[in-house]
Each structure stands twice: as structure tokens, then as C-alpha cells.
């Protein structure tokens, strides 16, 4: 799917991995005890792209898939959800990544990954669509693409090109410790691109991991602040989120929902934020506007936890507005 020229000023390009999650048909059981699995498309950067498109924004996904049935299926899912796959390449020699996800009884998840190596890890700098990156208003990425070369080199090249072109850089580390060689390596690499980013979103769990302190107090969060940042966000699940800019900081409450599955909630939050940012960058300097946007992002994250899976649960604009009005 190509991207029309007229909407490039609203384009969000999301870079990284897209994979198949195998989700147990029964919650609260171990992988070994699960009676069966349903395949669900996943991968945080792909979820963010679809979240943006579902809310009426313009999105493209950039990454590598296996030239296999799963890879072709994922590219089709992007297109069906209104996301451009112009930045997608296929690898004939490697499979699309798979992840088996355990849903605990509290709705939280555990992961077991199959990627040795998977196609997403093999994206090279030469395969990047640099023109697509330069045309973006926002370039969004995670940290899984930093784990191994050649994908790490492709990721760094994409960041440099985006930065040179004046594109706003959004970063959600999306920590998946089982994929890293060690916790130390994960922390080092996640922080290695910190200074590139304009907007960073971390969860409370990631905040503790990166700082070594089990607290979400402002002084802890602010150890992750850099002068290069425009906005730092800490998401707190059912407790909402905290925000920090150079001029102001505060907290925005979450909506109360009946949580079934937290998969994709953070991606829905980020997608909602980016969707609003491309339309009005002054949100980053105006606290009243920012609080309004974060309330909307919290609504989108909340809705996503009320349904199983990530992509099927991501809300449309109409759903998000109706939900927010009812609260």
C-alpha cells in the first residue's frame, strides 16, 4: 500500500518488529497446560502503527518479515488496517518471529519467543526506505531492534536519517528481557539511543529496570530526563500516567475498566498520543492541551485492556470518544 502525498505532514512511521503471538485459549494457565492457542498478530511497533490508523491517522510500518505464510499474512493485516506496508521487506531465508504468550489470571503476560534468527533481526541499513523516513512527521521505534546486527545498524541509520530530516523521534523501549543476552546489555542498549529521542514513554516496570529504584516518584523518573527531550512519560497501568517536560510536570488519572488482557495497552496509549501530536505539536509546550491528549491516550489504553489480544482490541476514534464521554 502506497502513501498518498497529501497526508505526509501527518505521517507516523513505526519501525521494528511484527510477529505472531500465540495466545492460550484459557487464561491463568502455564504454556504447558494451555489446551490450545489462537494466533494473533503482534509486535509493539506494528501495534502502534495500527493504533494510529484506527484513530484516523496516517501510518506506515517499517521492518522485515519472513517470506512465508505468516509474513504475508502480517503484511496483509497492516494493509487491511489502513497502514502502509511500503517500508516492509521480506527475507526468503528466515522465518517470521513467533511468541507464545501466557495470560496470567491477573491479565498480565509472560512470553516465550521463537526467533533464531527471525526475519525482523536481519533488516539491513541498505534495505531501509530512507525517503519514507524523511517524509514522516513522527518516527517511532522500540528497543528490540537494537538487540542484534544487522537490525541494530539499520535502526541507528534510520534514527540518524530521521534526525537530519527534522522528524520528531518517539521511543518506547518496550522491555522484553528474555530476548536480551543479559539484563546489563538490555539496559546499556536501551539507553544508548536515549539522546536521539524527543518523546520517550516508559512503563513503571521499565522505570524500575532502568533506574534500579522501585519507585515512581518524580525524582526517580527525572533521572531519565535529558535536555534533548521534549516529553518524558511514565505509564502506571490502572493508576494513569505521569508526564515531564522542561517547563512542567504532573499526572493524569486512568479510567476505571474491567481489565481482561493488558496486551497492546501501552501501544494504544502511544498511538493515541502520536495521532494527536502530528496534528498539533504545540501540545508539547501547552500543559492544558497535553493533559487533554493524555486523558485521551489513557482512554485508548484502557479500552484495549477490556478485550483479548492487541490489534483486535485497539479502539477506533468513535469508540474512544464514546468511552471518554461515558466516564
Amino acid at each position: 500500500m502506497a502513501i498518498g502525498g497529501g497526508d505526509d505532514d501527518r505521517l507516523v512511521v513505526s519501525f521494528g518488529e511484527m510477529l505472531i503471538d500465540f495466545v492460550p485459549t484459557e487464561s491463568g494457565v502455564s504454556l504447558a497446560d494451555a489446551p490450545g492457542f489462537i494466533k494473533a498478530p503482534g509486535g509493539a511497533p506494528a501495534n502502534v502503527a495500527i493504533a494510529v490508523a484506527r484513530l484516523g491517522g496516517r501510518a506506515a510500518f517499517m521492518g522485515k518479515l519472513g517470506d512465508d505464510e505468516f509474513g504475508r499474512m502480517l503484511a496483509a493485516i497492516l494493509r487491511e488496517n489502513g497502514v502502509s506496508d511500503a517500508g516492509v521487506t521480506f527475507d526468503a531465508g528466515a522465518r517470521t518471529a513467533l511468541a507464545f504468550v501466557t495470560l496470567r489470571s491477573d491479565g498480565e503476560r509472560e512470553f516465550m519467543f521463537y526467533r533464531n534468527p527471525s526475519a525482523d533481526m536481519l533488516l539491513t541499513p541498505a534495505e531501509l526506505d530512507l525517503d519514507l523516513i524523511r517524509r514522516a512527521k513522527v518516527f517511532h521505534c522500540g528497543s528490540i531492534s537494537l538487540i542484534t546486527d544487522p537490525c541494530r545498524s539499520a535502526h541507528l541509520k534510520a534514527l540518524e536519517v530521521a534526525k537530519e530530516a527534522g522528524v520528531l523521534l518517539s521511543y518506547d523501549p518496550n522491555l522484553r528481557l528474555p530476548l536480551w543476552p543479559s539484563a546489563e546489555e538490555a539496559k546499556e542498549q536501551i539507553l544508548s539511543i536515549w539522546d536521539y529521542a524527543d518523546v520517550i514513554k516508559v512503563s513503571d516496570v521499565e522505570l524500575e529496570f532502568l533506574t534500579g529504584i522501585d519507585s515512581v516518584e518524580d525524582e526517580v523518573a527525572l533521572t531519565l530526563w535529558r535536555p534533548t527531550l521534549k516529553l518524558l512519560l511514565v505509564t502506571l497501568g490502572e493508576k494513569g500516567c505521569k508526564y515531564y517536560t522542561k517547563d512542567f510536570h504532573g499526572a493524569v488519572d486512568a479510567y476505571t475498566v474491567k481489565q481482561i488482557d493488558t496486551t497492546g495497552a501501552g501501544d494504544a496509549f502511544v498511538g493515541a498520543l502520536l495521532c494527536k501530536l502530528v496534528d498539533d505539536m504545540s501540545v508539547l509546550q501547552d500543559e492544558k492541551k497535553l493533559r487533554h491528549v493524555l486523558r485521551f491516550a489513557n482512554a485508548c489504553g484502557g479500552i484495549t485492556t477490556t478485550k483479548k489480544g492487541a490489534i483486535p482490541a485497539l479502539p477506533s476514534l468513535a469508540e474512544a470518544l464514546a468511552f471518554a464521554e461515558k466516564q
Side-chain angles (χ1 to χ4, degrees):
M1 179 193 285
I3 300 175
D7 274 328
D8 278 4
D9 60 343
R10 297 182 66 233
L11 178 63
V12 176
V13 172
S14 197
F15 174 92
E17 72 285 351
M18 189 177 192
L19 56 136
I20 309 273
D21 286 337
F22 284 88
V23 185
T25 50
E26 202 177 299
S27 294
V29 297
S30 68
L31 285 179
D33 293 333
F37 296 89
I38 295 164
K39 65 179 192 294
N47 293 343
V48 168
I50 291 174
V52 167
R54 213 165 269 179
L55 292 168
R58 297 286 294 155
F61 174 73
M62 181 172 279
K64 199 172 205 185
L65 300 170
D67 193 3
D68 50 35
E69 280 201 42
F70 284 149
R72 297 289 170 186
M73 179 191 103
L74 291 176
I77 285 166
L78 289 171
R79 294 191 300 272
E80 284 158 16
N81 283 281
V83 174
S84 169
D85 63 349
V88 173
T89 55
F90 292 90
D91 194 298
R95 295 288 187 211
T96 300
L98 309 178
F100 285 81
V101 185
T102 314
L103 274 184
R104 299 200 315 240
S105 49
D106 62 359
E108 289 297 335
R109 301 149 299 156
E110 291 168 355
F111 296 88
M112 185 165 76
F113 293 94
Y114 285 76
R115 51 199 306 268
N116 53 337
S118 52
D120 59 288
M121 300 158 75
L122 301 176
L123 182 70
T124 66
E127 291 171 311
L128 293 171
D129 184 338
L130 301 182
D131 185 49
L132 182 61
I133 296 169
R134 292 184 184 112
R135 283 161 53 202
K137 184 84 171 266
V138 174
F139 181 85
H140 175 74
C141 62
S143 71
I144 288 172
S145 38
L146 294 172
I147 295 173
T148 183
D149 265 325
C151 190
R152 177 177 156 73
S153 297
H155 188 151
L156 295 174
K157 169 81 173 172
L159 286 176
E160 281 161 17
V161 169
K163 202 77 178 164
E164 279 167 18
V167 178
L168 187 91
L169 292 178
S170 163
Y171 182 31
D172 177 357
N174 230 315
L175 177 67
R176 296 285 179 267
L177 257 185
L179 292 177
W180 290 89
S182 68
E184 295 73 30
E185 174 80 357
K187 184 175 174 180
E188 184 185 329
Q189 295 300 346
I190 284 170
L191 292 173
S192 72
I193 63 167
W194 214 253
D195 292 351
Y196 278 98
D198 298 298
V199 175
I200 293 177
K201 173 247 157 194
V202 291
S203 69
D204 45 1
V205 174
E206 289 157 351
L207 177 64
E208 181 186 346
F209 174 75
L210 293 170
T211 62
I213 303 166
D214 181 11
S215 163
V216 293
E217 293 306 313
D218 291 341
E219 59 267 28
V220 176
L222 284 168
T223 63
L224 295 180
W225 179 260
R226 300 289 184 277
T228 43
L229 274 173
K230 292 183 170 73
L231 176 64
L232 173 67
L233 294 161
V234 180
T235 53
L236 308 169
E238 62 215 22
K239 295 192 181 82
C241 67
K242 291 185 160 193
Y243 59 87
Y244 304 87
T245 75
K246 68 176 177 14
D247 298 318
F248 51 80
H249 64 88
V252 178
D253 289 338
Y255 291 89
T256 305
V257 294
K258 188 178 182 321
Q259 191 171 292
I260 291 171
D261 176 6
T262 58
T263 310
D267 304 326
F269 176 93
V270 171
L273 169 71
L274 299 183
C275 218
K276 295 293 187 185
L277 272 185
V278 292
D279 284 335
D280 184 4
M281 288 286 184
S282 75
V283 164
L284 296 168
Q285 287 89 40
D286 183 323
E287 187 169 14
K288 189 180 174 189
K289 279 186 185 176
L290 179 63
R291 291 184 65 85
H292 186 72
V293 165
L294 294 177
R295 192 84 175 126
F296 176 72
N298 280 348
C300 291
I303 292 167
T304 306
T305 69
T306 64
K307 301 174 195 168
K308 267 196 174 182
I311 291 169
L314 297 169
S316 66
L317 183 58
E319 261 182 291
L321 294 174
F323 173 85
E325 270 173 30
K326 274 194 304 192
Q327 301 301 311

